[in-house]
Amino acid sequence: MQVFWPPGMAVLTAAGAILLITAGTAHAARPAEHRAVLRVHRLFPPEWTPFAAAVTTGAELLVGLSVLVTAVVAMVLPAVVQAAVYGALAGYAAVLRVRRAGVPCGCFGAEKVSWAVVARAVVLAAGSAGYAATGPISDPWPCVAAGAVLAMANHLLPVLREIGGRKRLRRG
């Protein structure tokens, strides 16, 4: 466990940063869709939606990029901020799951808010906090590469699940 701890936390931190950048880029590319999802959530007053959409998009991009850009030096402070962002996202998703189960998450496409979405945010918050607590590692780039693979797997699994569901429907 001692050997895995710091690099494992760095991998989760890098994956979290890549996922934030991916989500922020998608939200920036489709701002009307992002605002529409936030309106469906109905957790903010409708007049706050444009502001909430802009803040979340900006925060995702700023925090994700700051973690990856500082990976060469030490991403401790950005990792603390990222842990806080993912903690807030976990809380938001949990409230959303309880109050409005079945609505789209808004994270990555049409994925519905689920306990898996909450768990992903909790794991990424814990990974970022763990990395911040253990401090920088000597060579972060293999961890960033592994984080990229983990982030890609995060997108691939739902797609494969959906493809598998379509095949079952055709057979039945």
Side-chain angles (χ1 to χ4, degrees), residues 8 14 23 27 58 72 78 80-82 86 101 110 115 122 129 131 134 137 142 150-151 153:
H27 292 152
V72 177
V80 169
V81 175
Q82 182 169 289
Y86 273 112
W115 291 114
V122 167
Y131 179 83
T134 59
I137 59 176
L150 187 60

Side-chain angles (χ1 to χ4, degrees), residues 27-120:
H27 292 152
R30 295 184 304 278
E33 183 179 306
H34 184 44
R35 289 190 303 271
V37 168
L38 289 176
R39 278 193 290 278
V40 169
H41 288 173
R42 295 190 328 238
L43 293 182
F44 297 112
E47 60 274 8
W48 289 14
T49 301
F51 176 74
V55 167
T56 55
T57 299
E60 289 164 342
L61 289 169
L62 182 65
V63 172
L65 287 169
S66 70
V67 167
L68 289 185
V69 166
T70 62
V72 177
V73 198
M75 52 185 168
V76 175
L77 180 59
V80 169
V81 175
Q82 182 169 289
V85 167
Y86 273 112
L89 287 173
Y92 183 88
V95 168
L96 194 59
R97 175 65 182 94
V98 169
R99 291 188 182 176
R100 309 248 188 274
V103 299
C105 170
C107 306
F108 305 105
E111 181 180 10
K112 289 187 174 150
V113 69
S114 65
W115 291 114
V117 169
V118 175
R120 176 181 60 208

